[in-house]
Amino acid sequence: QVQLVESGGGLVQAGGSLRVSCEVSGSIWSINAMAWHRQATGKERELVAAIDSGDSTNYVDSVKGRFTISWGNAKHTVYLQMNSLKPEDTAVYYCTASVLSVSLKKLDVWGQGTLVSVSP
């Protein structure tokens, strides 16, 4: 079983910074990629940032230059550093991982979500 545990959400004023973390645990053979999605109230979920095992990253246009996705030391943790936050960044942020389990099953796993609220 593979689990994702997110942490670091909270309330911040516009222009501030916040870092959210996501740790992968369980019977993992390899992690191919991880990503952060977000869903604001009344809006569709969107992919915000992604990173692969080769450290390539990609971002949605609205966060380029403000958000940075990165691996932790053991590459079982991924961070999303969010700077210059705007009220429109307010959403529940979900971590996802594309992994290969020790039983060689490809799995796409979602975390439970962490709320990021940005006040004007």
Side-chain angles (χ1 to χ4, degrees):
Q1 188 175 1
V2 179
Q3 291 183 325
L4 303 183
V5 178
E6 298 139 333
S7 60
L11 175 64
V12 65
Q13 287 188 332
S17 298
L18 206 60
R19 189 177 78 162
V20 290
S21 305
C22 176
E23 183 175 4
V24 185
S25 63
S27 302
I28 301 164
W29 179 258
S30 65
I31 301 175
N32 297 322
M34 293 188 71
W36 287 94
H37 295 70
R38 68 185 179 187
Q39 187 166 22
T41 302
K43 295 189 177 181
E44 293 187 355
R45 191 172 295 182
E46 68 171 345
L47 177 61
V48 175
I51 187 168
D52 69 11
S53 57
D55 298 337
S56 293
T57 60
N58 207 348
Y59 301 89
V60 68
D61 285 346
S62 60
V63 308
K64 284 181 180 177
R66 300 189 298 122
F67 289 12
T68 302
I69 189 170
S70 61
W71 291 108
N73 288 337
K75 287 194 175 181
H76 275 204
T77 300
V78 69
Y79 301 104
L80 184 68
Q81 177 67 43
M82 301 179 287
N83 298 329
S84 302
L85 281 160
K86 304 175 181 180
E88 52 263 42
D89 294 318
T90 295
V92 177
Y93 284 70
Y94 297 91
C95 175
T96 63
S98 296
V99 307
L100 193 63
S101 71
V102 293
S103 58
L104 300 182
K105 291 183 179 179
K106 291 184 179 179
L107 302 172
D108 289 319
V109 188
W110 285 75
Q112 79 283 358
T114 185
L115 178 62
V116 172
S117 296
V118 184
S119 62

